[in-house]
Amino acid sequence: MPNSKKTAAKKVRIMDTTLRDAHQSLLATRMKTEDLLPVAEVMDGIGFWSVEVWGGATFDTCLRFLREDPWERLRALKKAFKKTPLQMLLRGQNVVGYRHYADDVVERFVEKAVENGMNVFRIFDALNDFRNIKSSVKAVIKSGGKVEAAFCYTLGHIYNNDVFVDMAKKLEDMGTDTLCIKDMAGLLAPMDAYDLVSKLKKSIGLPIHLHTHDTSAMAVATTLKAIEAGVDIVDCAASSMAGGTSQPPLETMVHILKGTPHDTGLDLKLIGQVTEHFKSVRRKYHAFESEYTGIDPNAIIYQVPGGMISNLATQLKEQNALNRMEEVMAEVPRVREDFGFPPLVTPSSQIVGTQATLNIVTGERYKVVTSEVKNYLKGLYGKPPAPVNADIRKKILGDEAVVEVRPADLLEPELEKARKEAGEKAKTDEDVISYALFPKIFLEFAELRDKGFPPEEPKKPAAAAAPGEAGPTLAPSEFMINVHGESYHIKVGGKGHKSEGKRPYFLWVDNQLVEVLVEPLVEVLPSEEGKISPNVGGRSKRPKAKEPGDVTAPMPGAVVKIKVKVGDQVKAGDTVLIIEAMKMENEVHTPVTGEVKEIHVKEGDSVNPDEALVVVR
Ligand code: MN
């Protein structure tokens, strides 16, 4: 219902994001349930509108890295939060993953989430194609949860506040209970927030909830101006987990509003206990801190989310091309324009960012495209906000038809298939859903669970190096490294016997033993006996690429698929290999026409850009 009167002063409600978005933004989503629970009871007494505790990347990281069942986390939190509604972030048809799932997965996920204690579902689509959130909205209503549909706020010449008001009206018509302005990149400037909220208040009759990030240090000002304009609910995190790529600090907002008509009424002493707890917990996770903390003005200059900047930097580092960061940053807006100005949020930020990187490092725009880009241009993520560049689409897709229907309409039901495939590994309906969302990761998790989660410490190296034998320790033999947002647990085992001039070194990466054969450039004095029995095998050496018909990878990666066999006739531009690099699949084309003479790779091989992978003559 339109409300044209000046909004009456009212108490502002707060959603606390400390247990979800704050650690997703600051600590790569790595906080364990055991570190969330100790202050849950205190948090429950504070009087938040809701606490965001689940969804987004938490589901994935629980299974993938934390050896935790995400459903169990939800149940544990529900037990602890007796009064405060629990909230989650749902990526519409992507659920909590990175691709579109069939409707039966979406529906069952929502049903089970409600059953396990979830109350409010913030639902968005990365392209603001609201066909992609219809199923989830319907499922939440049916399951008795509250819907908080969101539009993704972004910038670009096709956007202005009236466009967002139109989006909000559509979401209101879909039956959402509250409306969320999702400023996932911290791009919403204070005065724009005032204007946007004022316009929304005039046009829709729903409570409005602002979500923003402090990436470029505007969040407190933006939140305050939104409150002045009548926003109903705002997102904050406990101050020890706030600021930077996270939300604005809770205590700061509470204090600013104290004694005003918008007073939150929240108790700063209680909040202080939460902040103290997470101050010490955060130290425990320091290995996961993003190197891009603090204020990031690039987020405003390039209109690129903070998290994306660090991802791009890491991708370029892997290509030894960090010096080309400026060029890539300038390419991002061009690719985004070619793609019809999608908001940059999972998964569109990865799709655009990786393509921009490829366009720069390969030296030719769209010479190499990822499978995700193809699917995007085919319409398999939904309808881009503006028309895509027709020439580029033609170059990449040829005459292939573009999908006009809702992408999930093309998907067969997936749940029963998942149930069969997961077999005995899935003990509950929740397990079946976990499998349907992340098959490989769930199976690895379930196997560990079946073994009762054996201690994470690999036994072998400890046993191999008896006390006193290990020699001086100059650096820890066990540490975490972070490679584009993913962390690896590295443990140095030791070295083995030298054979054929090469010495094997043994490392554990995420508790998996890896053997590295090293050929020293300079012969070193024979050292003491290796502490681990060696297992030296031959290592196939690929020829270096020299001729134009030597097909090379554009970047280091792993071979996913070989599309040709020896003797095949190929035309210049034909795909011969699919390489996975930078979390995306990339087609590798033959630069020349001829016959496939040699293939020097097999599926699963790691390859480098200087090697001849396939030889065409
Ligand atoms: Mn966020």
Side-chain angles (χ1 to χ4, degrees), residues 33-256:
T33 304
E34 63 187 42
D35 290 315
L36 308 180
L37 290 177
V39 279
E41 204 183 313
V42 177
M43 290 177 78
D44 195 30
I46 290 175
F48 294 121
W49 185 75
S50 68
V51 279
E52 193 193 34
V53 297
W54 213 56
T58 62
F59 197 97
D60 180 0
T61 44
C62 272
L63 289 172
R64 195 192 293 254
F65 302 115
L66 305 181
R67 298 170 152 214
E68 281 191 27
D69 181 347
W71 300 97
E72 237 171 80
R73 170 179 289 195
L74 174 54
R75 287 190 290 271
L77 287 162
K78 189 63 188 178
K79 233 170 130 187
F81 284 96
K82 295 191 166 56
K83 299 181 277 192
T84 315
L86 300 185
Q87 181 149 351
M88 75 165 290
L89 182 66
L90 186 66
R91 299 170 178 152
Q93 209 69 30
N94 295 329
V95 192
V96 286
Y98 310 95
R99 68 163 177 95
H100 282 216
Y101 296 95
D103 285 336
D104 62 338
V105 176
V106 175
E107 285 157 16
R108 197 85 176 120
F109 176 91
V110 167
E111 196 187 311
K112 281 285 159 189
V114 171
E115 213 178 289
N116 283 282
M118 186 46 61
N119 303 104
V120 188
F121 294 75
R122 177 177 289 171
I123 310 172
F124 77 99
D125 175 68
L127 300 183
N128 286 326
D129 180 345
F130 299 141
R131 297 174 306 168
N132 294 334
I133 68 167
K134 262 187 189 151
S135 289
S136 3
V137 169
K138 245 173 75 188
V140 172
I141 294 171
K142 194 179 156 207
S143 308
K146 289 270 173 251
V147 180
E148 183 171 285
F151 60 80
C152 297
Y153 181 84
T154 186
L155 301 169
H157 82 265
I158 66 162
Y159 298 100
N160 58 50
N161 285 343
D162 295 328
V163 170
F164 293 120
V165 169
D166 284 342
M167 289 186 195
K169 283 183 191 156
K170 281 188 195 144
L171 296 174
E172 185 175 36
D173 291 344
M174 284 172 78
T176 188
D177 296 293
T178 50
L179 174 92
C180 174
I181 305 167
K182 181 173 162 63
D183 174 28
M184 60 281 162
L187 297 175
L188 180 59
M191 303 309 174
D192 294 333
Y194 186 89
D195 182 62
L196 176 59
V197 173
S198 305
K199 284 184 169 142
L200 287 171
K201 275 281 154 191
K202 278 187 199 127
S203 316
I204 64 166
L206 299 171
I208 298 170
H209 190 158
L210 173 68
H211 175 72
T212 186
H213 285 253
D214 201 24
T215 317
S216 48
M218 296 194 292
V220 169
T222 297
T223 302
L224 188 60
K225 291 305 283 185
I227 290 168
E228 268 182 34
V231 86
D232 300 87
I233 313 152
V234 298
D235 285 359
C236 293
S239 62
S240 52
M241 288 293 293
T245 50
S246 175
Q247 272 67 54
L250 175 58
E251 291 95 313
T252 309
M253 284 318 306
V254 169
H255 190 70
I256 288 174

Side-chain angles (χ1 to χ4, degrees), residues 104-421:
D104 62 338
V105 176
V106 175
E107 285 157 16
R108 197 85 176 120
F109 176 91
V110 167
E111 196 187 311
K112 281 285 159 189
V114 171
E115 213 178 289
N116 283 282
M118 186 46 61
N119 303 104
V120 188
F121 294 75
R122 177 177 289 171
I123 310 172
F124 77 99
D125 175 68
L127 300 183
N128 286 326
D129 180 345
F130 299 141
R131 297 174 306 168
N132 294 334
I133 68 167
K134 262 187 189 151
S135 289
S136 3
V137 169
K138 245 173 75 188
V140 172
I141 294 171
K142 194 179 156 207
S143 308
K146 289 270 173 251
V147 180
E148 183 171 285
F151 60 80
C152 297
Y153 181 84
T154 186
L155 301 169
H157 82 265
I158 66 162
Y159 298 100
N160 58 50
N161 285 343
D162 295 328
V163 170
F164 293 120
V165 169
D166 284 342
M167 289 186 195
K169 283 183 191 156
K170 281 188 195 144
L171 296 174
E172 185 175 36
D173 291 344
M174 284 172 78
T176 188
D177 296 293
T178 50
L179 174 92
C180 174
I181 305 167
K182 181 173 162 63
D183 174 28
M184 60 281 162
L187 297 175
L188 180 59
M191 303 309 174
D192 294 333
Y194 186 89
D195 182 62
L196 176 59
V197 173
S198 305
K199 284 184 169 142
L200 287 171
K201 275 281 154 191
K202 278 187 199 127
S203 316
I204 64 166
L206 299 171
I208 298 170
H209 190 158
L210 173 68
H211 175 72
T212 186
H213 285 253
D214 201 24
T215 317
S216 48
M218 296 194 292
V220 169
T222 297
T223 302
L224 188 60
K225 291 305 283 185
I227 290 168
E228 268 182 34
V231 86
D232 300 87
I233 313 152
V234 298
D235 285 359
C236 293
S239 62
S240 52
M241 288 293 293
T245 50
S246 175
Q247 272 67 54
L250 175 58
E251 291 95 313
T252 309
M253 284 318 306
V254 169
H255 190 70
I256 288 174
L257 299 171
K258 214 174 181 68
T260 74
H262 305 294
D263 198 329
T264 62
L266 302 189
D267 182 344
L268 282 170
K269 280 212 190 86
L270 282 181
I271 298 171
Q273 292 178 36
V274 180
T275 286
E276 277 309 308
H277 170 73
F278 284 109
K279 196 183 265 176
S280 62
V281 163
R282 187 168 173 174
R283 283 188 208 114
K284 199 169 132 184
Y285 294 93
H286 71 95
F288 299 104
E289 294 270 356
S290 156
E291 46 186 306
Y292 283 79
T293 47
I295 301 165
D296 188 354
N298 285 331
I300 315 176
I301 297 166
Y302 296 104
Q303 303 176 359
V304 168
M308 193 174 159
I309 296 169
S310 53
N311 275 347
L312 290 174
T314 318
Q315 289 184 353
L316 284 170
K317 243 186 244 166
E318 283 177 7
Q319 313 299 316
N320 278 326
L322 198 54
N323 57 326
R324 309 194 70 179
M325 187 70 178
E326 284 279 311
E327 288 168 81
V328 172
M329 292 295 270
E331 177 68 2
V332 167
R334 290 194 292 261
V335 172
R336 188 167 166 249
E337 183 173 353
D338 293 340
F339 290 2
F341 295 99
L344 297 176
V345 61
T346 300
S348 52
S349 52
Q350 287 86 343
I351 296 173
V352 170
T354 305
Q355 192 58 51
T357 309
L358 287 171
N359 286 357
I360 297 301
V361 297
T362 60
E364 186 189 324
R365 303 190 78 217
Y366 305 105
K367 180 184 176 186
V368 178
V369 296
T370 63
S371 310
E372 283 81 359
V373 163
K374 273 196 155 174
N375 290 339
Y376 176 90
L377 294 175
K378 272 187 214 165
L380 293 179
Y381 287 91
K383 194 171 186 284
V388 303
N389 182 316
D391 294 337
I392 284 160
R393 183 168 62 201
K394 177 108 183 145
K395 178 177 174 175
I396 293 168
L397 291 187
D399 293 326
E400 232 178 299
V402 173
V403 166
E404 300 287 350
V405 296
R406 183 186 71 118
D409 286 339
L410 303 170
L411 300 174
E412 295 292 330
E414 294 176 277
L415 217 47
E416 280 320 303
K417 197 171 145 254
R419 192 182 297 279
K420 280 202 195 96
E421 280 175 18

